[in-house]
């Protein structure tokens, strides 16, 4: 297989220790796609993101990235392959300053100087520049999400997995994050976005994937599904008055 930046999951089963959460996930994301990963609370969205990043118990199946099987590799190995993650919730290094967090992220910056990259993310998120010498743990939850986003962006990954970036953010901050996601996408970055705000997600994403009970139950173009139909899928796993929609297993791949 060519080294195309394509992320392909085949029958992925994963969870936490003996607990199974993902029950056979199939997903094929091509270079430059913008995918909204949606589903009810507890569907396994965060678990899926963490599994791609090697942060759960990988049971079986395959995850191919650029043609290489990466399922079950450690997070550090995943990171070095150009996959970036913005985890859900608070930042990883609360007892370090914002600047130190960015330095951590810059540890593996490819080809470019860390100072230029920090200037770049500070220009995107001025609030981080203003508070760069404060402890990251003293930021609000939303601001910590912004910091995590900045840390991922700083590495300029080929694909970015982002888990609920808008939670706890002010409308203005949400605007900044989504604008930056759009810009990243325009620059060729593949984006897999988990977002509770389905309206916002469907505005920016081209493709909608719905997860329920650890399985993909809908996979199609974002403009092929209405908000009401999404609600039906979340609630019952089915769309009222509509025959089955395509899922990734039925889509034909090249
Ligand atoms: N660290 C963990 N250990 C054990 N179970 C977990 C852990 N994290 C999440 N779960 C469980 O996995 C299921 C899916 O959770 P999650 O992936 O966070 O769902 P979502 O992001 O779709 O809301 C839930 O039942 C949740 O309780
Ligand atoms: Mg989640």
């Amino acid at each position: 297989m060519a080294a195309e930046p394509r992320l392909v999951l085949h029958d992925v089963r994963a969870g936490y220790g003996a607990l199974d959460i993902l029950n056979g996930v199939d997903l094929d994301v091509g270079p430059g796609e913008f995918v909204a990963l949606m589903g009810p609370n507890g569907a396994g969205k965060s678990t899926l993101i963490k599994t791609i990043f090697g942060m759960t118990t990988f049971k079986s199946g395959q995850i191919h990235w650029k043609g290489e099987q990466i399922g079950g590799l450690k997070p550090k190995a995943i990171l070095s392959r150009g996959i970036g993650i913005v985890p859900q919730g608070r930042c990883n290094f609360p007892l370090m300053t914002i600047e130190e967090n960015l330095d951590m992220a810059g540890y593996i910056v490819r080809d470019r100087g860390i100072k230029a990259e920090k200037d770049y993310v500070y220009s995107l998120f001025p609030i981080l520049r203003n508070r760069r010498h404060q402890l990251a743990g003293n930021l609000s939850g939303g601001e910590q999400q912004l910091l995590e986003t900045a840390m991922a962006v700083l590495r300029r990954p080929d694909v970015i997995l982002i888990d609920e970036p808008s939670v706890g953010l002010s409308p203005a901050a949400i605007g900044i994050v989504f604008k930056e996601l759009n810009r990243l996408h325009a620059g060729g970055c593949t984006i897999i976005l988990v977002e509770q705000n389905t309206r916002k997600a469907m505005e920016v994403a081209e493709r909608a994937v719905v997860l329920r009970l650890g399985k993909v139950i809908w996979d199609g173009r974002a403009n092929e599904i209405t908000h009401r139909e999404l609600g039906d899928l979340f609630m019952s796993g089915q769309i009222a008055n509509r025959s089955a929609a395509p899922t990734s297993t039925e889509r034909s791949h090249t």
Side-chain angles (χ1 to χ4, degrees):
M1 206 187 291
E4 181 187 44
R6 176 172 282 276
L7 185 66
V8 185
L9 282 73
H10 177 65
D11 198 20
V12 169
R13 290 164 197 274
Y16 305 93
L19 195 61
D20 291 340
I21 302 295
L22 302 182
N23 299 303
V25 170
D26 291 299
L27 186 65
D28 183 340
V29 179
E33 281 200 78
F34 196 143
V35 177
L37 181 61
M38 294 172 289
N41 253 330
K45 304 179 298 294
S46 295
T47 303
L48 179 53
I49 295 286
K50 286 189 280 182
T51 296
I52 294 168
F53 211 69
M55 294 164 72
T56 64
T57 310
F58 192 81
K59 311 275 177 91
S60 65
Q62 287 150 21
I63 303 176
H64 282 103
W65 169 244
K66 296 184 177 176
E68 179 192 13
Q69 215 290 116
I70 60 163
L73 292 186
K74 295 271 184 290
K76 196 175 159 211
I78 305 288
L79 197 60
S80 69
R81 283 163 169 78
I83 297 178
I85 189 171
V86 182
Q88 188 173 19
R90 304 199 163 230
C91 66
N92 287 323
F93 307 114
L95 295 178
M96 300 197 311
T97 66
I98 289 160
E99 180 125 332
E100 286 164 348
N101 269 271
L102 290 172
D103 284 334
M104 288 287 291
Y107 184 63
I108 58 159
V109 163
R110 295 172 288 182
D111 308 331
R112 294 172 300 272
I114 175 65
K115 180 161 187 319
E117 289 304 305
K118 276 194 296 196
D119 285 347
Y120 166 70
V121 294
Y122 281 147
S123 72
L124 290 173
F125 307 110
I127 188 172
L128 297 181
R129 185 199 297 274
N130 297 340
R131 303 181 65 174
R132 65 188 179 278
H133 298 307
Q134 297 182 18
L135 296 185
N138 289 345
L139 295 174
S140 73
E143 289 163 347
Q144 292 187 26
Q145 191 77 359
L146 215 54
L147 173 59
E148 286 292 326
T149 306
M151 288 168 71
V153 166
L154 185 139
R155 302 187 193 103
R156 309 248 182 134
D158 298 314
V159 57
I160 186 164
L161 315 171
I162 180 160
D163 198 353
E164 307 221 17
S166 68
V167 170
L169 293 188
S170 68
I174 291 174
I176 291 170
V177 169
F178 276 88
K179 188 169 157 236
E180 175 58 10
L181 289 179
N182 269 327
R183 204 199 54 78
L184 277 176
H185 178 236
C189 185
T190 309
I191 296 175
I192 301 178
L193 166 74
V194 175
E195 183 55 61
Q196 280 293 332
N197 184 341
T198 51
R199 221 162 266 282
K200 196 77 202 166
M202 304 286 267
E203 253 173 56
V204 292
E206 297 151 344
R207 178 173 163 193
V209 172
V210 178
L211 202 67
R212 193 169 187 275
L213 302 174
K215 277 187 98 85
V216 173
I217 60 164
W218 201 91
D219 184 347
R221 296 192 62 75
N223 61 14
E224 284 172 354
I225 187 164
T226 66
H227 288 283
R228 232 200 60 212
E229 290 174 329
L230 266 183
D232 285 353
L233 281 177
F234 281 29
M235 293 295 287
S236 68
Q238 287 174 333
I239 298 175
N241 306 321
R242 180 165 162 168
S243 54
T247 66
S248 62
T249 41
E250 292 165 293
R251 290 154 65 103
S252 55
H253 303 304
T254 46

